[in-house]
């Protein structure tokens, strides 16, 4: 897009105030796919996407919360071609505050790209802090104009401490793109070391972007990880069968993009809200 773009994304997502996936913390990251490169925001998930799209430079600022009275989580992501930095402030996971600082690197071209996210985390407990380092690595292949294949390995250094575990896990996926990326089909599968078939979680999604003016996005996550409900005095493990998300966005005067969505699951969790501002820094960005 030739003009400077200001993106406002408001995502309404149903979640528990509970233990979270501490490698994909923002609602923004959760609606993208590992093989996706068409959006500046998608590169916040798989760092390999940065080199796939030159002049895809920008800053993304996000905040998500469940109630106005509760402190939420904030994030900042900056991408400049094959280099990026990010910051996440996760206010409360099991009464622990996590501060994540990452340097993201990528090298490649429009056909193949690899990238890493080198993350330094400070876990702030009530009376002490813990420091740790972790590494994510991703690759995206585009053998044809209509096909993209992605792989992301998270927490390669696999750190365990106190009540939090950064377990090594992987996401592999592909996308099929039609009509100059107006219609896009996505599929991801999540797994861990020594995972069995019954342990796999799969996501299928559809993204429609007519004339680059609107975008409609939806997906279903089958067999997601169970989560811990901490809303009552006795913690309860919630067995999820599926999660789903839908979102819609539109462009205003070729400069402002607004997106709203919802995320829910079969457990009927309460709503969580996210607000994300994106500031592309390149005038040649599509």
């Amino acid at each position: 897009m030739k003009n400077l773009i200001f993106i406002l994304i408001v995502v309404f997502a149903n979640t528990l105030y509970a233990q979270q996936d501490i490698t994909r913390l923002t609602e923004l990251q959760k609606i993208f796919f590992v093989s996706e490169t068409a959006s500046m925001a998608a590169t916040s998930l798989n760092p390999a996407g940065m080199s796939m799209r030159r002049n895809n430079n920008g800053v993304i600022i996000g905040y998500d919360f469940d109630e106005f009275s509760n402190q939420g989580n904030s994030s900042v992501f900056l991408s400049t071609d094959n280099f990026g930095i990010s910051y996440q402030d996760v206010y409360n996971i099991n009464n622990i505050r996590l501060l994540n600082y990452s340097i993201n690197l990528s090298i490649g071209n429009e056909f193949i790209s690899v990238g890493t996210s080198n993350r330094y985390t400070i876990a702030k407990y009530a009376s002490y802090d813990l420091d740790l380092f972790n590494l994510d690595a991703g690759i995206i292949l585009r053998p044809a104009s209509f096909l993209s294949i992605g792989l992301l390995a998270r927490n390669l250094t696999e750190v365990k401490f106190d009540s939090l575990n950064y377990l090594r896990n992987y996401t592999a996926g592909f996308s099929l793109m039609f009509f100059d990326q107006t219609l896009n089909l996505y599929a991801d599968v999540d797994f861990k070391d020594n995972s069995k078939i019954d342990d796999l979680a799969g996501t299928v999604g559809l993204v429609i972007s007519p004339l680059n003016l609107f975008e409609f996005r939806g997906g279903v996550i089958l067999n997601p990880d169970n989560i811990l409900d901490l809303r009552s005095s006795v913690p309860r493990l919630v067995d999820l069968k599926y999660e789903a998300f839908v979102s819609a966005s539109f462009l205003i005067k070729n400069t402002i993009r607004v997106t709203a969505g919802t995320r829910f699951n079969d457990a009927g969790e309460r709503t969580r809200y996210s607000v994300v501002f994106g500031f592309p820094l390149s005038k040649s960005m599509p």
Side-chain angles (χ1 to χ4, degrees):
M1 193 169 295
K2 295 183 178 181
N3 297 326
L4 182 65
I5 307 171
F6 171 78
I7 308 170
L8 170 63
I9 304 176
V10 182
V11 181
F12 303 95
N14 289 344
T15 65
L16 289 170
Y17 179 70
Q19 188 174 10
Q20 304 179 45
D21 176 357
I22 56 178
T23 59
R24 283 173 67 178
L25 292 168
T26 68
E27 296 299 328
L28 175 71
Q29 290 172 297
K30 293 177 181 179
I31 67 173
F32 287 101
F33 299 89
V34 72
S35 61
E36 191 167 1
T37 62
S39 170
M40 179 188 72
T43 63
S44 65
L45 173 60
N46 189 346
M50 292 189 298
S51 291
M52 274 278 176
R53 292 185 59 83
R54 293 294 180 181
N55 300 318
N56 200 24
N57 308 332
V59 179
I60 302 168
I61 302 173
Y63 183 77
D64 65 87
F65 59 96
D66 56 359
E67 296 179 1
F68 286 105
S69 58
N70 294 335
Q71 174 70 45
N73 308 318
S74 57
S75 61
V76 179
F77 179 86
L78 183 147
S79 172
T80 59
D81 288 338
N82 58 356
F83 174 79
I85 58 176
S86 62
Y87 164 80
Q88 290 178 317
D89 183 352
V90 186
Y91 190 75
N92 193 321
I93 294 183
N94 293 352
N95 297 316
I96 305 167
R97 183 179 182 182
L98 296 177
L99 302 177
N100 294 317
Y101 305 88
S102 298
I103 295 177
N104 308 310
L105 305 172
S106 179
I107 185 171
N109 53 40
E110 63 204 78
F111 303 107
I112 181 172
S113 178
V114 296
T116 63
S117 178
N118 309 277
R119 186 172 61 253
Y120 170 68
T121 298
I122 302 174
K124 301 183 75 66
Y125 291 78
S127 57
Y128 63 95
D129 296 346
L130 286 178
D131 302 338
L132 62 98
F133 174 80
N134 225 321
L135 174 67
D136 301 343
I139 183 172
I140 296 178
L141 303 173
R142 194 168 181 182
S145 61
F146 62 89
L147 175 64
S148 178
I149 302 169
L151 174 65
L152 179 64
R154 303 186 188 91
N155 304 325
L156 290 176
T157 50
E158 197 169 45
V159 179
K160 299 181 181 180
F161 62 99
D162 291 353
S163 59
L164 293 176
N165 295 325
Y166 281 81
L167 299 179
R168 189 180 301 114
N169 60 95
Y170 312 91
T171 299
F174 70 91
S175 58
L176 297 173
M177 298 160 284
F178 305 98
F179 311 114
D180 195 25
Q181 301 191 34
T182 299
L183 175 65
N184 307 282
L185 303 176
Y186 295 94
D188 282 358
V189 60
D190 300 317
F191 56 97
K192 301 179 177 66
D193 291 337
N194 302 317
S195 288
K196 299 179 180 179
I197 296 296
D198 294 341
D199 299 328
L200 300 180
T203 304
V204 292
L206 171 68
V207 178
I208 303 174
S209 306
L211 304 176
N212 199 32
L213 297 176
F214 306 94
E215 180 186 272
F216 304 97
R217 176 181 296 264
V220 177
I221 306 167
L222 303 175
N223 194 31
D225 287 338
N226 297 334
I227 59 176
L228 189 64
D229 183 359
L230 302 178
R231 289 179 291 183
S232 61
S233 58
V234 179
R236 178 178 63 94
L237 188 66
V238 180
D239 183 12
L240 298 182
K241 301 298 187 299
Y242 71 86
E243 288 183 316
F245 60 84
V246 293
S247 69
S249 70
F250 59 94
L251 198 64
I252 300 176
K253 294 184 178 180
N254 205 36
T255 57
I256 303 174
R257 184 174 293 275
V258 181
T259 303
T262 182
R263 197 150 73 95
F264 52 92
N265 59 49
D266 60 294
E269 301 173 358
R270 65 183 180 181
T271 300
R272 187 171 186 89
Y273 305 92
S274 294
V275 180
V276 179
F277 299 89
F279 303 89
L281 303 179
S282 173
K283 292 184 178 181
S284 60
M285 176 182 169

